[in-house]
Amino acid sequence: ARSWQDIPHIFLESVIDMSAVVALRQALAPEVEAKGARLTLNTLLAYATVAALARRLRMNGWLRSHEGELYLSEQAGINLGFAVALADGLIVPVVKDAAQYKLTAFTRQMEELAARAHSGELTPDDVAAGTFTISNLGMHPVRSFTALINPPQVAILAVGRMEMQPVWDGAA
């Protein structure tokens, strides 16, 4: 309720050609998996989100209130939250200072936090201080959905399923 009341929501939907990402995953997976981590499309999307946030720090901010006025406070570190579905709800563990990690270490961080979420072993610090959240329902038959922004964050990325579509290349 607080999210809807305090944060202006603007919904944008885009269709993205993911064929290069699928090929990149296939190329990188053997190297990452040889180091003991499982590279998924979700991990690559999260890693790309961190890279994008590093270039657009205003999206990596918190809404703050000062004397009744809201202002955007850009955050120095990118603390990426990612939604994890549990039997009785949803929880958002946070990869702290996510831009510091190379792909394999980032993948391990996400795996470890997700496993701890499923086993009920997350600490309050594991779910605190997120600066941006990604929510992915692509593993389900969900084309798109509306995700609620986690206050005091200023944005969230909602990812739906991939699907094959014919695309016209402009040639006659």
Side-chain angles (χ1 to χ4, degrees):
R2 183 173 154 226
S3 177
W4 281 111
Q5 291 175 341
D6 294 346
I7 302 172
H9 283 66
I10 299 169
F11 304 104
L12 305 173
E13 185 175 322
S14 296
V15 175
I16 299 168
D17 181 354
M18 293 289 291
S19 56
V21 177
V22 170
L24 180 63
R25 186 206 163 276
Q26 289 173 337
L28 295 176
E31 178 183 339
V32 171
E33 291 174 3
K35 296 176 183 175
R38 184 173 166 261
L39 185 61
T40 66
L41 289 171
N42 188 48
T43 306
L44 278 176
L45 287 172
Y47 197 70
T49 299
V50 171
L53 289 170
R55 296 179 62 185
R56 299 285 185 260
L57 287 177
R58 290 184 63 80
M59 297 302 292
N60 187 55
W62 284 344
L63 285 177
R64 302 272 193 205
S65 178
H66 179 70
E67 297 179 2
E69 295 291 322
L70 288 177
Y71 70 97
L72 179 64
S73 169
E74 293 178 13
Q75 302 302 305
I78 298 169
N79 297 332
L80 184 71
F82 61 101
V84 175
L86 303 175
D88 59 348
L90 189 72
I91 195 160
V92 181
V94 177
V95 177
K96 303 282 183 12
D97 202 11
Q100 75 171 327
Y101 294 106
K102 300 251 188 252
L103 181 59
T104 301
F106 180 82
T107 301
R108 281 193 195 116
Q109 282 287 80
M110 286 188 69
E111 286 176 342
E112 178 187 323
L113 287 165
R116 288 178 38 218
H118 288 291
S119 66
E121 297 174 3
L122 289 175
T123 67
D125 185 59
D126 290 330
V127 296
T131 58
F132 189 91
T133 298
I134 184 169
S135 183
N136 186 350
L137 292 178
M139 66 290 297
H140 303 291
V142 175
R143 179 177 287 162
S144 66
F145 64 101
T146 301
L148 296 178
I149 298 170
N150 296 320
Q153 297 173 25
V154 297
I156 188 167
L157 176 62
V159 179
R161 72 177 177 180
M162 288 193 309
E163 53 188 30
M164 298 292 288
Q165 294 181 0
V167 177
W168 179 54
D169 66 2

